[in-house]
């Protein structure tokens, strides 16, 4: 029994360390080897570095589902109309999902230049996306949000990848504007972008960035009405059907980041619920995807989502072992102390305190894992829906 508990505690902690520390190192190493092999093939005259080019720019439909976005919508439409893309090939589809503010009125102002869809009933983002996609005829769909700002060349850079028939989805890059607060989401986001870059290099890109990504319309699969992480599911459905997901950091968009770390908690809980929803509903994301995608999915996603549960199991095992072993008792105390320290930092950050850069990291990780823990409970108990939840992002 003692050996089993010790093995359990060590295995759980090792899984968390692997996901956060060891996996990124392995990914960097594998990605470097892959790039080296590509370079060697190129030097030997048997490879090609450049993205396959398109003879002509395709017609593109930009699809945006909006709910109570009067603050951003007019600027968003003007941003899309100002992009460096032929106006006769750029079609904008925006749907208001039963908004209670002036979102619908603003859409009606632009009815002559965009495809405005005003839905009086609030049904959730997935339902609006389904309806908007059904209204499109263009071969390339670009998905985004109402509070996002595209770089002028973003669309050209996205669609360039579709010159390769194996590519089914292209994810752009989201850049978070700095704020006056102490939120560490931007730091975490930069780390995630690094992983995304190398996952794409080995052919294991996971999902897409909901603020800016494109797919071939023929590969669209309707979403279930209560789907929460629509961007992740749309892209992974394409990967599960054998098409490649590409990453184009040169196609970027911007969003504002909240001023306080606490403002992210509700959003992260909702995303966490969507993660567990996808994990349960879509075993094909592991069973029918490439080996690289499976490796990245388990290492980067699944273990991250389960990290707080693994940490709690390790702590409980350590406490039980500590009843008989002084060494395990000390180890349990160290774990409790570390979690308490991170919790205090998180509370201080939420109350507006300015933390040193290194101290913001444990505060953010505490918030992230607490959100996953709450999300798993709400998903398991059915306390969620596919309806919208407003946040600063």
């Amino acid at each position: 029994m003692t050996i089993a508990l010790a093995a359990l505690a060590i295995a759980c902690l090792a899984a968390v360390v692997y996901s956060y520390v060891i996996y990124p190192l392995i990914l960097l190493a594998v990605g470097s080897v892959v790039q080296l092999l590509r370079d060697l093939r190129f030097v030997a005259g048997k490879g090609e570095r450049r993205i396959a080019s398109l003879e002509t720019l395709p017609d593109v439909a930009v699809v945006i589902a909006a709910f109570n976005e009067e603050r951003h919508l007019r600027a968003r439409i003007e941003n899309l109309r100002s992009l460096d893309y032929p106006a006769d090939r750029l079609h904008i589809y925006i749907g208001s999902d039963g908004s209670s503010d002036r979102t619908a009125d603003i859409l009606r102002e632009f009815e002559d230049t965009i495809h405005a869809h005003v839905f009086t009933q609030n049904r959730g983002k997935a339902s609006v996306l389904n309806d908007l996609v059904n209204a499109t005829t263009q071969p390339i769909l670009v998905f985004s949000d109402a509070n996002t700002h595209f770089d002028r060349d973003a669309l050209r850079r996205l669609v360039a990848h579709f010159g390769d028939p194996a590519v089914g989805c292209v994810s752009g890059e989201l850049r978070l504007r700095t704020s006056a607060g102490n939120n560490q989401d931007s730091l975490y986001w930069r780390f995630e972008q690094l992983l995304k870059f190398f996952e794409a290099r080995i052919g294991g890109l996971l999902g897409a960035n909901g603020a800016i990504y494109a797919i071939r319309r023929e590969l669209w699969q309707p979403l279930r009405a209560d789907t929460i992480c629509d961007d992740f599911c749309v892209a992974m459905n394409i990967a599960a059907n054998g098409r490649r997901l590409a990453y184009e950091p040169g196609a970027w968009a911007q969003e504002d980041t909240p001023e306080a770390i606490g403002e992210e908690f509700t959003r992260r809980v909702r995303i966490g619920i969507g993660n567990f929803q996808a994990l349960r509903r879509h075993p094909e994301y592991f069973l029918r995807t490439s080996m690289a995608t499976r490796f990245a999915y388990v290492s980067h996603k699944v273990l991250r989502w389960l990290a707080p549960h693994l940490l709690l199991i390790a702590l409980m095992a350590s406490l039980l072992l500590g009843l008989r072993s002084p060494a395990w008792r000390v180890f349990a105390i160290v774990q409790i102390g570390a979690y308490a320290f991170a919790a205090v930092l998180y509370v201080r950050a939420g109350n507006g305190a300015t933390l040193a850069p290194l101290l913001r990291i444990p505060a953010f990780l505490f918030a992230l894992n607490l959100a996953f823990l709450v999300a798993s409970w709400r998903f398991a108990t059915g306390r969620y829906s596919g309806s919208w939840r407003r946040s600063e992002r």
Side-chain angles (χ1 to χ4, degrees), residues 90-101:
L90 174 58
H91 309 265
I92 303 170
Y93 293 78
I94 303 179
S96 171
D97 186 33
S99 299
S100 57
D101 64 358

Side-chain angles (χ1 to χ4, degrees), residues 355-372:
L355 302 178
L358 288 179
L359 295 181
R360 297 174 192 170
I361 297 175
F364 176 78
L365 290 177
F366 178 86
L368 180 66
N369 283 281
L370 179 60
F372 282 145

Side-chain angles (χ1 to χ4, degrees), residues 341-361:
F341 178 66
V344 170
L345 292 176
Y346 169 65
V347 171
R348 289 194 60 198
N351 290 333
T354 301
L355 302 178
L358 288 179
L359 295 181
R360 297 174 192 170
I361 297 175

Side-chain angles (χ1 to χ4, degrees), residues 4 15 36-37 72 74 94 96 122 142 149 164 179 185-186 190 225 241 245 254 272 278 289 292 355 371 382 393:
L36 175 61
L37 294 175
H72 306 102
R74 186 174 281 106
I94 303 179
S96 171
N122 179 250
V142 176
H149 182 95
D164 182 349
S179 65
D185 190 60
S186 59
R190 288 194 292 272
N241 281 288
L245 308 186
Q254 284 187 334
T289 51
L355 302 178
R393 274 188 58 201

Side-chain angles (χ1 to χ4, degrees), residues 236-256:
M236 291 300 287
N237 287 343
I238 292 173
N241 281 288
R243 303 300 277 272
R244 186 162 66 85
L245 308 186
Y247 178 50
E248 177 49 71
W252 56 270
Q254 284 187 334
E255 283 185 9
D256 292 325

Side-chain angles (χ1 to χ4, degrees), residues 50-122:
R50 296 180 181 178
I51 299 172
S53 60
L54 292 166
E55 293 184 2
T56 58
L57 291 174
D59 281 68
V60 168
V62 178
V63 178
I64 297 176
F67 174 68
N68 287 356
E69 290 287 359
E70 65 177 4
R71 176 182 171 188
H72 306 102
L73 191 54
R74 186 174 281 106
R76 175 84 258 234
I77 295 172
E78 295 297 344
N79 166 240
L80 292 173
R81 294 170 64 184
S82 68
L83 297 180
D84 181 20
Y85 206 85
D88 61 332
R89 299 176 191 171
L90 174 58
H91 309 265
I92 303 170
Y93 293 78
I94 303 179
S96 171
D97 186 33
S99 299
S100 57
D101 64 358
R102 296 191 61 254
T103 295
D105 296 331
I106 295 173
L107 282 182
R108 293 188 181 100
E109 294 177 16
F110 292 91
E111 282 182 327
D112 293 338
T113 56
I114 70 171
H115 300 270
H117 295 258
V118 177
F119 302 105
T120 57
Q121 181 183 358
N122 179 250

Side-chain angles (χ1 to χ4, degrees), residues 24 31 41 78 85 130 148 158 160 187 208 218 247-249 258 296 341 357:
R41 285 197 298 268
E78 295 297 344
Y85 206 85
N130 287 335
T148 303
L158 281 178
L187 177 62
E218 65 196 60
Y247 178 50
E248 177 49 71
F341 178 66

